[in-house]
Amino acid sequence: MSRPVRIVTTSWDDGHASDLRIAEMLLDRGLRGTFYVPLHPFRDHPALTVPDMRSMSSAGFEIGAHGIDHEILSELSADETLRVTTKCKRVLEDRLGANVSMFCYPRGRYNRTTIRCLQKAGYRGARTTRMGSIHLGFSAFEMPISSQAYPHTPLGYLRNMARGHSLSAMYDYFIDLRFESDWVQLGKKLFDRVLQRGGIWHIYGHSWEIDELGLWDGLKHMLDYASSKDNVLYLTNGGLIDYLTAPSSNPGHNTHVATNENPARP
Ligand SMILES: [Zn+2]
């Protein structure tokens, strides 16, 4: 019998200078990650510099796009969305001297038009903020996450899952995860399930928030827990799309990523 596919990926939004600390923590543990960076510094915070991003990229991390000025794309016209998503891709590619294929929706907001514009602009996929997922099958432009490095309340988790219309995530949160409210414990429990059953463990966060809320120790603990495991693939978000869409990568597994337009909920 074939072994279940187990994948770990991470992503970090907003391009704050403290992303360097996260990159170092990931590197020390053999973990990979994608850093989603808007062209302009988020809320005028100290931001990653171009040399920072270049050295992260040569260390094996992925830099993804996150708008010009962290625009909420679902509030823009199609023309404006296409302009923003095309420009942030092109400018980041010039800065990095490398291809940028992944996008992350600022504030997690998007609709059908947003997805169409991203496809037109040449992206291969996009990450959402929908929590509670460890499943291998998803639309490339609606990549979900497992959990966030942030102390949500149980109500916060349920609201997030309800917004994503994810009944299975809500059911799991009620029944299997028993309203786990500690973000580190929740991350560890989801990781255990990926080890047992296969799937994707995807943790995301904002380094500025981790700084502000003093979450570094919890994050270290969670990353230690997920690192150096046998038979686990450690990938960037783009690497995850590549892996799941390669026809030879998953024989015998019910794995798929839909790369065509997907019916995004409004
Ligand atoms: Zn953001």
Side-chain angles (χ1 to χ4, degrees), residues 220-241:
K220 183 173 171 293
H221 187 68
M222 196 153 73
L223 296 181
D224 281 341
Y225 196 76
S227 66
S228 311
K229 296 284 186 290
D230 291 336
N231 304 315
V232 171
L233 288 167
Y234 294 95
L235 302 173
T236 60
N237 288 186
L240 172 63
I241 300 280

Side-chain angles (χ1 to χ4, degrees), residues 71-121:
E71 297 87 351
I72 298 177
L73 299 180
S74 57
E75 294 175 355
L76 303 183
S77 67
D79 284 352
E80 190 60 3
T81 302
L82 187 60
R83 186 189 71 80
V84 167
T85 53
T86 303
K87 181 173 176 185
C88 64
K89 184 177 194 297
R90 187 177 43 76
V91 173
L92 265 188
E93 285 176 341
D94 285 350
R95 289 178 183 176
L96 292 167
N99 187 35
V100 170
S101 66
M102 291 297 295
F103 188 86
C104 168
Y105 302 109
R107 305 275 307 270
R109 305 266 297 277
Y110 65 99
N111 56 30
R112 229 179 241 274
T113 306
T114 321
I115 293 179
R116 265 200 297 269
C117 291
L118 288 175
Q119 288 170 326
K120 224 171 177 175

Side-chain angles (χ1 to χ4, degrees), residues 176-191:
D176 279 6
L177 301 167
R178 294 160 197 262
F179 284 114
E180 179 60 66
S181 60
D182 181 293
W183 66 276
V184 177
Q185 290 307 318
L186 180 64
K188 287 167 71 175
K189 283 183 181 178
L190 288 165
F191 183 72

Side-chain angles (χ1 to χ4, degrees), residues 13-14 42 66 70 106-107 206:
D13 302 359
D14 297 344
F42 179 66
H66 200 36
H70 205 266
R107 305 275 307 270
H206 307 93

